[in-house]
């Protein structure tokens, strides 16, 4: 029986949407694979993260991952020396083309940078306003509301859960973890969480002997048959600088009887998923804390 691999594709920037997504669609089509695309739709302000170069861990990650060549200076400086471009308003056709190609399409963020730096401190009302802007832009592009979401940078907490519940998402993918679970917020069971279980390219490249040449093999070796496996890739990385690597990864999956699927394909509507809680903790290769499934931290 094939090992299922939930394939989540985060689209964070203008160039990732314009250039990375079409390339990924071509690669996925060639391998007859569908995935879940989560789009950022507001201003591309990702360059404002550059102030974090003052933090040693972030600076080390930028050097280790060769960020300038991996992402490109237009991404690294977006929203700094020039205004961030509105992604959804300019590139709504990319969302429509992605959905028409048979992929699941959901909401990532309105302003990716703002969410990463400010969401942990926002009130429920402020979070609802930020999510609503993304939902409105998504609706403008596709003519319908999103039914799933994935928090930018795995930045989430109890207030985020409460805010998201008002939008009726079928599921969310806001954390790192090891199994599908149902979080509780405000005394109520929330939409299921489908956590990312595998590391991203920029988290592992250059660490523990992982190189560009052995990355795919190391990644496939981490998959656990019979368990939840979810990989997050980025349109700015696997869709541009590492497109050939991702193409080879999908070929490796086929050779090893691994079946990539959209995240919704991992859900079983007849399953009563166990309750679990959220926690904040660091993850190797990434600066700062991310949201975790509490029980996964105990292992």
């Amino acid at each position: 029986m094939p090992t299922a691999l939930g394939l989540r594709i985060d689209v964070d920037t203008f160039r990732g949407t314009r250039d990375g997504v079409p390339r990924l669609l071509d690669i996925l089509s060639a391998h007859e694979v569908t995935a879940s695309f989560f789009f950022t739709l507001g201003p591309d302000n990702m360059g404002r993260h550059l102030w974090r170069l003052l933090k040693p861990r972030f600076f080390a990650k930028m050097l280790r991952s060769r960020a300038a060549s991996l992402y490109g200076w237009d991404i690294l400086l977006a929203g700094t020396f020039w205004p961030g471009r509105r992604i959804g308003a300019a590139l709504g056709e990319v969302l429509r083309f992605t959905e028409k190609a048979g992929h699941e399409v959901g909401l990532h963020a309105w302003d990716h940078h703002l969410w990463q730096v400010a969401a942990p401190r926002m009130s429920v009302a402020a979070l609802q306003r930020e999510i609503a802007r993304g939902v409105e832009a998504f609706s403008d592009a596709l003519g319908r509301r999103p039914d799933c979401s994935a928090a930018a940078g795995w930045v989430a907490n109890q207030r985020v859960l409460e805010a998201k519940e008002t939008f009726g998402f079928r599921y969310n993918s806001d954390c790192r973890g090891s199994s599908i679970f149902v979080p509780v917020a405000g005394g109520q069971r929330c939409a299921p969480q489908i956590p990312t279980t595998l590391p991203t390219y920029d988290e592992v490249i250059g660490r523990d002997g992982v190189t560009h040449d052995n990355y795919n093999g190391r990644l496939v070796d981490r998959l656990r048959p019979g368990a939840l496996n979810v990989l997050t890739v980025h349109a700015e990385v696997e869709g541009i600088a590492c497109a050939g690597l991702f193409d080879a990864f999908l070929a490796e999956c086929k050779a090893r009887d691994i079946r990539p699927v959209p995240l919704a394909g991992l859900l079983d509507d007849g399953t009563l998923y166990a309750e679990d809680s959220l926690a904040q903790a660091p993850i190797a290769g990434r600066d700062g804390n991310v949201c975790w499934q509490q029980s996964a931290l105990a292992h």
Side-chain angles (χ1 to χ4, degrees):
M1 183 175 180
T3 297
L5 171 63
L7 188 52
R8 164 180 159 176
I9 300 175
D10 288 359
V11 189
D12 300 347
T13 66
F14 191 96
R15 184 157 71 98
T17 308
R18 184 193 64 198
D19 301 340
V21 171
R23 180 77 174 103
L24 285 169
L25 293 177
D26 287 344
I27 294 170
L28 293 167
S29 176
H31 291 276
E32 299 181 319
V33 166
T34 54
S36 298
F37 283 77
F38 293 96
F39 284 91
T40 300
L41 296 160
D44 181 359
N45 292 322
M46 290 294 281
R48 296 180 183 179
H49 281 299
L50 280 181
W51 68 268
R52 296 165 68 194
L53 288 174
L54 298 175
K55 295 184 176 182
R57 286 184 63 186
F58 185 75
F59 183 63
K61 175 194 169 186
M62 295 286 280
L63 290 177
R64 173 175 49 77
S65 64
R66 299 174 292 110
S69 59
L70 185 63
Y71 294 102
W73 284 109
D74 58 334
I75 289 177
L76 295 181
L77 297 176
T80 53
F81 296 106
W82 51 81
R85 290 173 289 184
R86 295 283 181 92
I87 300 169
L91 300 173
E93 184 179 4
V94 177
L95 276 75
R96 294 188 289 273
F97 191 69
T98 301
E99 184 171 63
K100 187 177 180 179
H103 300 281
E104 182 176 41
V105 179
L107 175 66
H108 196 36
W110 167 251
D111 183 332
H112 194 290
H113 169 265
L114 180 65
W115 185 274
Q116 281 194 268
V117 301
R121 302 186 302 274
M122 287 184 180
S123 67
V124 172
L127 288 164
Q128 288 173 333
R129 289 193 294 271
E130 185 70 10
I131 296 168
R133 297 185 78 179
V135 168
E136 181 179 358
F138 187 101
S139 300
D140 288 344
L142 282 179
R144 66 169 181 85
R145 292 164 62 93
D147 61 3
C148 56
S149 78
W154 299 277
V155 174
N157 54 27
Q158 289 295 109
R159 291 190 302 279
V160 169
L161 294 182
E162 291 182 46
K164 285 196 171 190
E165 279 302 290
T166 62
F167 294 92
F169 296 125
R170 180 188 176 198
Y171 75 84
N172 300 299
S173 182
D174 300 329
C175 64
R176 311 300 279 257
S178 58
S179 61
I180 300 175
F181 68 97
V182 171
V184 176
Q188 301 293 321
R189 285 171 60 91
C190 297
Q193 285 282 339
I194 305 180
T196 294
T197 67
L198 295 161
T200 62
Y201 178 87
D202 62 325
E203 289 170 356
V204 297
I205 198 71
R207 297 179 56 249
D208 301 325
V210 178
T211 66
H212 189 83
D213 291 336
N214 67 22
Y215 170 77
N216 283 340
R218 292 285 191 95
L219 182 59
V220 171
D221 287 344
R222 286 176 176 260
L223 270 63
R224 300 176 299 154
L228 178 69
N229 298 287
V230 175
L231 173 66
T232 296
V233 303
H234 289 85
E236 295 74 19
V237 179
E238 283 84 355
I240 302 177
C242 294
L245 188 71
F246 183 61
D247 183 43
F249 171 74
L250 292 180
E252 183 77 6
C253 285
K254 184 175 182 179
R256 297 209 196 183
D257 204 22
I258 296 163
R259 181 172 59 91
V261 297
L263 298 196
L266 300 172
L267 284 173
D268 182 353
D269 291 335
T271 298
L272 185 64
Y273 292 105
E275 293 181 3
D276 209 331
S277 55
L278 302 182
Q280 308 299 313
I283 189 167
R286 185 170 292 274
D287 177 59
N289 288 339
V290 299
C291 183
W292 280 89
Q293 177 183 9
Q294 176 70 62
S295 63
L297 291 173
H299 301 313

